[in-house]
PDB file of all heavy atoms in Angstrom:
ATOM      1  N   TYR A 187      80.792 191.453  73.287  1.00  0.00           N
ATOM      2  CA  TYR A 187      80.642 191.515  71.834  1.00  0.00           C
ATOM      3  C   TYR A 187      80.196 190.163  71.273  1.00  0.00           C
ATOM      4  O   TYR A 187      79.308 190.099  70.414  1.00  0.00           O
ATOM      5  CB  TYR A 187      81.959 191.946  71.185  1.00  0.00           C
ATOM      6  CG  TYR A 187      81.909 191.955  69.689  1.00  0.00           C
ATOM      7  CD1 TYR A 187      81.292 192.999  69.006  1.00  0.00           C
ATOM      8  CD2 TYR A 187      82.476 190.928  68.938  1.00  0.00           C
ATOM      9  CE1 TYR A 187      81.244 193.009  67.622  1.00  0.00           C
ATOM     10  CE2 TYR A 187      82.428 190.938  67.562  1.00  0.00           C
ATOM     11  CZ  TYR A 187      81.812 191.974  66.912  1.00  0.00           C
ATOM     12  OH  TYR A 187      81.768 191.979  65.549  1.00  0.00           O
ATOM     13  N   GLY A 188      80.804 189.080  71.744  1.00  0.00           N
ATOM     14  CA  GLY A 188      80.433 187.742  71.264  1.00  0.00           C
ATOM     15  C   GLY A 188      79.017 187.371  71.618  1.00  0.00           C
ATOM     16  O   GLY A 188      78.331 186.699  70.853  1.00  0.00           O
ATOM     17  N   ARG A 189      78.548 187.809  72.785  1.00  0.00           N
ATOM     18  CA  ARG A 189      77.169 187.518  73.186  1.00  0.00           C
ATOM     19  C   ARG A 189      76.184 188.297  72.329  1.00  0.00           C
ATOM     20  O   ARG A 189      75.166 187.757  71.885  1.00  0.00           O
ATOM     21  CB  ARG A 189      76.978 187.845  74.659  1.00  0.00           C
ATOM     22  CG  ARG A 189      75.655 187.355  75.193  1.00  0.00           C
ATOM     23  CD  ARG A 189      75.505 187.619  76.650  1.00  0.00           C
ATOM     24  NE  ARG A 189      75.447 189.074  76.826  1.00  0.00           N
ATOM     25  CZ  ARG A 189      75.663 189.700  77.981  1.00  0.00           C
ATOM     26  NH1 ARG A 189      75.981 189.008  79.036  1.00  0.00           N
ATOM     27  NH2 ARG A 189      75.576 190.998  78.061  1.00  0.00           N
ATOM     28  N   LYS A 190      76.484 189.564  72.053  1.00  0.00           N
ATOM     29  CA  LYS A 190      75.559 190.381  71.253  1.00  0.00           C
ATOM     30  C   LYS A 190      75.525 189.943  69.798  1.00  0.00           C
ATOM     31  O   LYS A 190      74.491 190.039  69.152  1.00  0.00           O
ATOM     32  CB  LYS A 190      75.948 191.856  71.346  1.00  0.00           C
ATOM     33  CG  LYS A 190      75.628 192.443  72.696  1.00  0.00           C
ATOM     34  CD  LYS A 190      75.825 193.925  72.710  1.00  0.00           C
ATOM     35  CE  LYS A 190      75.445 194.439  74.087  1.00  0.00           C
ATOM     36  NZ  LYS A 190      75.279 195.866  74.118  1.00  0.00           N
ATOM     37  N   GLN A 191      76.656 189.479  69.287  1.00  0.00           N
ATOM     38  CA  GLN A 191      76.726 189.054  67.894  1.00  0.00           C
ATOM     39  C   GLN A 191      76.451 187.564  67.714  1.00  0.00           C
ATOM     40  O   GLN A 191      76.492 187.065  66.590  1.00  0.00           O
ATOM     41  CB  GLN A 191      78.114 189.375  67.316  1.00  0.00           C
ATOM     42  CG  GLN A 191      78.442 190.846  67.293  1.00  0.00           C
ATOM     43  CD  GLN A 191      77.526 191.617  66.362  1.00  0.00           C
ATOM     44  OE1 GLN A 191      77.195 191.154  65.281  1.00  0.00           O
ATOM     45  NE2 GLN A 191      77.120 192.793  66.798  1.00  0.00           N
ATOM     46  N   SER A 192      76.218 186.846  68.782  1.00  0.00           N
ATOM     47  CA  SER A 192      76.018 185.390  68.781  1.00  0.00           C
ATOM     48  C   SER A 192      77.189 184.665  68.125  1.00  0.00           C
ATOM     49  O   SER A 192      77.014 183.728  67.349  1.00  0.00           O
ATOM     50  CB  SER A 192      74.713 185.019  68.060  1.00  0.00           C
ATOM     51  OG  SER A 192      73.620 185.588  68.739  1.00  0.00           O
ATOM     52  N   ASN A 193      78.394 185.106  68.455  1.00  0.00           N
ATOM     53  CA  ASN A 193      79.620 184.520  67.923  1.00  0.00           C
ATOM     54  C   ASN A 193      80.276 183.711  69.035  1.00  0.00           C
ATOM     55  O   ASN A 193      80.802 184.269  69.998  1.00  0.00           O
ATOM     56  CB  ASN A 193      80.551 185.628  67.423  1.00  0.00           C
ATOM     57  CG  ASN A 193      81.721 185.079  66.653  1.00  0.00           C
ATOM     58  OD1 ASN A 193      82.132 183.949  66.839  1.00  0.00           O
ATOM     59  ND2 ASN A 193      82.269 185.914  65.780  1.00  0.00           N
ATOM     60  N   LEU A 194      80.252 182.391  68.898  1.00  0.00           N
ATOM     61  CA  LEU A 194      80.766 181.519  69.953  1.00  0.00           C
ATOM     62  C   LEU A 194      82.276 181.623  70.132  1.00  0.00           C
ATOM     63  O   LEU A 194      82.772 181.537  71.257  1.00  0.00           O
ATOM     64  CB  LEU A 194      80.387 180.074  69.663  1.00  0.00           C
ATOM     65  CG  LEU A 194      78.915 179.730  69.839  1.00  0.00           C
ATOM     66  CD1 LEU A 194      78.655 178.289  69.426  1.00  0.00           C
ATOM     67  CD2 LEU A 194      78.502 179.948  71.274  1.00  0.00           C
ATOM     68  N   VAL A 195      83.029 181.788  69.047  1.00  0.00           N
ATOM     69  CA  VAL A 195      84.491 181.857  69.156  1.00  0.00           C
ATOM     70  C   VAL A 195      84.907 183.084  69.960  1.00  0.00           C
ATOM     71  O   VAL A 195      85.731 182.989  70.869  1.00  0.00           O
ATOM     72  CB  VAL A 195      85.141 181.868  67.752  1.00  0.00           C
ATOM     73  CG1 VAL A 195      86.645 182.035  67.860  1.00  0.00           C
ATOM     74  CG2 VAL A 195      84.802 180.600  66.999  1.00  0.00           C
ATOM     75  N   VAL A 196      84.326 184.223  69.657  1.00  0.00           N
ATOM     76  CA  VAL A 196      84.671 185.448  70.373  1.00  0.00           C
ATOM     77  C   VAL A 196      84.222 185.344  71.829  1.00  0.00           C
ATOM     78  O   VAL A 196      84.943 185.764  72.743  1.00  0.00           O
ATOM     79  CB  VAL A 196      84.040 186.680  69.686  1.00  0.00           C
ATOM     80  CG1 VAL A 196      84.336 187.941  70.463  1.00  0.00           C
ATOM     81  CG2 VAL A 196      84.544 186.816  68.265  1.00  0.00           C
ATOM     82  N   ARG A 197      83.066 184.772  72.054  1.00  0.00           N
ATOM     83  CA  ARG A 197      82.546 184.638  73.425  1.00  0.00           C
ATOM     84  C   ARG A 197      83.455 183.745  74.271  1.00  0.00           C
ATOM     85  O   ARG A 197      83.807 184.089  75.394  1.00  0.00           O
ATOM     86  CB  ARG A 197      81.141 184.058  73.396  1.00  0.00           C
ATOM     87  CG  ARG A 197      80.495 184.059  74.767  1.00  0.00           C
ATOM     88  CD  ARG A 197      79.135 183.400  74.780  1.00  0.00           C
ATOM     89  NE  ARG A 197      78.262 183.917  73.743  1.00  0.00           N
ATOM     90  CZ  ARG A 197      77.067 183.430  73.470  1.00  0.00           C
ATOM     91  NH1 ARG A 197      76.607 182.410  74.158  1.00  0.00           N
ATOM     92  NH2 ARG A 197      76.327 183.933  72.507  1.00  0.00           N
ATOM     93  N   TRP A 198      83.871 182.594  73.741  1.00  0.00           N
ATOM     94  CA  TRP A 198      84.717 181.686  74.499  1.00  0.00           C
ATOM     95  C   TRP A 198      86.130 182.244  74.674  1.00  0.00           C
ATOM     96  O   TRP A 198      86.752 182.015  75.723  1.00  0.00           O
ATOM     97  CB  TRP A 198      84.757 180.314  73.851  1.00  0.00           C
ATOM     98  CG  TRP A 198      83.511 179.545  74.139  1.00  0.00           C
ATOM     99  CD1 TRP A 198      82.480 179.300  73.282  1.00  0.00           C
ATOM    100  CD2 TRP A 198      83.136 178.960  75.381  1.00  0.00           C
ATOM    101  NE1 TRP A 198      81.490 178.600  73.911  1.00  0.00           N
ATOM    102  CE2 TRP A 198      81.865 178.366  75.204  1.00  0.00           C
ATOM    103  CE3 TRP A 198      83.746 178.877  76.632  1.00  0.00           C
ATOM    104  CZ2 TRP A 198      81.218 177.704  76.235  1.00  0.00           C
ATOM    105  CZ3 TRP A 198      83.089 178.214  77.651  1.00  0.00           C
ATOM    106  CH2 TRP A 198      81.843 177.640  77.442  1.00  0.00           C
ATOM    107  N   CYS A 199      86.628 182.956  73.679  1.00  0.00           N
ATOM    108  CA  CYS A 199      87.940 183.599  73.845  1.00  0.00           C
ATOM    109  C   CYS A 199      87.866 184.687  74.907  1.00  0.00           C
ATOM    110  O   CYS A 199      88.810 184.874  75.680  1.00  0.00           O
ATOM    111  CB  CYS A 199      88.428 184.173  72.518  1.00  0.00           C
ATOM    112  SG  CYS A 199      89.040 182.916  71.395  1.00  0.00           S
ATOM    113  N   GLY A 200      86.769 185.408  74.962  1.00  0.00           N
ATOM    114  CA  GLY A 200      86.584 186.408  76.003  1.00  0.00           C
ATOM    115  C   GLY A 200      86.552 185.785  77.380  1.00  0.00           C
ATOM    116  O   GLY A 200      87.180 186.285  78.320  1.00  0.00           O
ATOM    117  N   LEU A 201      85.860 184.680  77.513  1.00  0.00           N
ATOM    118  CA  LEU A 201      85.811 183.981  78.795  1.00  0.00           C
ATOM    119  C   LEU A 201      87.197 183.459  79.183  1.00  0.00           C
ATOM    120  O   LEU A 201      87.603 183.548  80.343  1.00  0.00           O
ATOM    121  CB  LEU A 201      84.798 182.838  78.727  1.00  0.00           C
ATOM    122  CG  LEU A 201      84.457 182.153  80.030  1.00  0.00           C
ATOM    123  CD1 LEU A 201      83.833 183.148  81.009  1.00  0.00           C
ATOM    124  CD2 LEU A 201      83.518 181.003  79.782  1.00  0.00           C
ATOM    125  N   ALA A 202      87.929 182.941  78.201  1.00  0.00           N
ATOM    126  CA  ALA A 202      89.286 182.460  78.476  1.00  0.00           C
ATOM    127  C   ALA A 202      90.206 183.618  78.866  1.00  0.00           C
ATOM    128  O   ALA A 202      91.056 183.468  79.755  1.00  0.00           O
ATOM    129  CB  ALA A 202      89.834 181.739  77.247  1.00  0.00           C
TER     130      ALA A 202
END
Side-chain angles (χ1 to χ4, degrees):
Y187 177 78
R189 190 177 66 198
K190 288 188 178 194
Q191 298 295 320
S192 298
N193 190 335
L194 289 176
V195 176
V196 177
R197 187 184 309 174
W198 283 105
C199 284
L201 190 61

